[in-house]
Amino acid sequence: MVHCTSSNQTAARLYLDSIAPAGVLDGSRAGNFDVADQGSPIQVPGGSVLICQWTGADNNAVGTMRVQYVVLKQRR
């Protein structure tokens, strides 16, 4: 879920490890409030960093992202 307090409409993009075109995992044109598609989970390699970036926000607006996750362990 993404949320932003901006009075302007925002967009949010989710990146893996760095803000670069190759690292885009997901995004929303409704960055002020949107909920993810629970039926299409994103798998993220261990040790990775998730970065959420909002565009179009007012100065001093606050963006929040909530992540629901499950840790998968490989059996040896």
Side-chain angles (χ1 to χ4, degrees), residues 1-71:
M1 187 223 19
V2 291
H3 177 263
C4 184
T5 61
S6 177
S7 59
N8 289 334
Q9 182 60 38
T10 64
R13 284 204 174 107
L14 181 65
Y15 295 90
L16 181 66
D17 293 327
S18 66
I19 298 174
V24 175
L25 291 177
D26 204 357
S28 173
R29 292 183 181 142
N32 288 27
F33 183 78
D34 201 5
V35 178
D37 176 8
Q38 300 291 331
S40 300
I42 298 170
Q43 291 190 9
V44 178
S48 298
V49 175
L50 292 175
I51 303 166
C52 191
Q53 180 187 50
W54 281 261
T55 55
D58 301 327
N59 288 336
N60 300 317
V62 176
T64 55
M65 174 182 74
R66 292 194 182 198
V67 177
Q68 188 174 20
Y69 65 94
V70 174
V71 176

